[in-house]
Amino acid sequence: SNAFVRAVMGPLGSGKSTACTIEILRRSMMQKPSADGKRKTRWAIIRNSYPELKTTTLKTWEQWVPRRFGKLTMDSPIKHHVVTPEMDMEVLFLALDRDEDVKKLLSLEITGAWVNEAREIPKGIIDGLTGRVGRYPSKQMGGCTWSGIIMDTNPPDDQSWWYLLSENETPKGWKFFKQPGGLSEHAENTEN
């Protein structure tokens, strides 16, 4: 899907975070090269708290993009800058768990964002994020081939913004996906 906001909900341990990590890498390699020949992207990876960002989201990221690929700095914000002969990808790790944290997004110029465990993030953060993506690389640098937001979550309760939007009022340009459990009759590769 090329939807501006793509969101996947699925059971614990079903590979949602890994899929989002791989999608960031895929979209970075699909970016058209800038004048210097490099595919430039800047991403924000968001989780609701700093401890969870470090112990879960960053750990998943490092399984697929180890520290040795680029420079990982543990300052605030945590940043992983990966430069190869073809690509220049900057990834910022941010903890945002309150509506007022939207101010941390001001002036942020990014290609895209991954919101990990999005059910834990206030909807106001998602709304603020929609205006920050698609701003890097700038038009002078060639612009973005694709920009948007990817999100994942375990199943939310029926009062959450995720549930309401996925089941009742899906905004234009948003696409929600439900990943079945591995033993579900709707899962791939099950024997009948």
Side-chain angles (χ1 to χ4, degrees):
S1 170
N2 285 319
F4 177 64
V5 176
R6 290 174 297 146
V8 62
M9 176 197 68
L12 176 73
S14 60
K16 301 175 301 293
S17 297
T18 295
C20 289
T21 298
I22 299 304
E23 180 64 0
I24 289 172
L25 295 171
R26 183 176 87 90
R27 291 291 178 173
S28 293
M29 287 306 298
M30 290 174 66
Q31 171 65 30
K32 66 183 173 191
S34 295
D36 66 359
K38 295 222 186 246
R39 301 172 191 276
K40 297 178 188 274
T41 56
R42 183 179 299 134
W43 298 86
I45 297 179
I46 297 166
R47 184 72 195 251
N48 63 312
S49 76
Y50 190 73
E52 289 168 332
L53 186 67
K54 284 178 63 178
T55 60
T56 61
T57 312
L58 184 60
K59 295 285 186 197
T60 299
W61 176 261
E62 287 186 281
Q63 285 178 328
W64 298 98
V65 190
R67 290 176 186 234
R68 70 180 179 272
F69 293 108
K71 181 178 180 183
L72 180 68
T73 56
M74 298 300 288
D75 298 331
S76 182
I78 298 169
K79 182 176 14 174
H80 196 181
H81 193 184
V82 178
V83 179
T84 71
E86 294 181 4
M87 180 175 68
D88 185 338
M89 177 182 68
E90 184 179 356
V91 181
L92 307 170
F93 294 83
L94 305 170
L96 307 172
D97 67 348
R98 298 171 303 171
D99 280 318
E100 54 269 16
D101 284 343
V102 75
K103 66 184 175 201
K104 295 179 183 177
L105 300 174
L106 296 176
S107 300
L108 188 63
E109 295 180 349
I110 55 178
T111 308
W114 165 28
V115 182
N116 183 225
E117 283 304 336
R119 70 180 183 175
E120 305 293 331
I121 305 292
K123 175 67 167 52
I125 298 291
I126 308 302
D127 293 339
L129 202 52
T130 63
R132 307 318 310 166
V133 300
R135 299 170 62 93
Y136 184 87
S138 67
K139 289 182 182 177
Q140 294 87 348
M141 297 168 71
C144 295
T145 304
W146 176 88
S147 65
I149 299 169
I150 56 176
M151 300 187 289
D152 73 299
T153 197
N154 292 325
D157 65 46
D158 63 2
Q159 299 302 307
S160 76
W161 65 264
W162 179 292
Y163 181 85
L164 295 173
L165 292 182
S166 66
E167 298 296 325
N168 301 321
E169 312 162 2
T170 304
K172 185 177 180 184
W174 290 45
K175 182 76 175 162
F176 286 88
F177 300 90
K178 291 181 183 175
Q179 181 173 326
L183 298 178
S184 166
E185 65 184 51
H186 302 291
E188 295 179 11
N189 302 319
T190 58
E191 293 182 32
N192 295 324

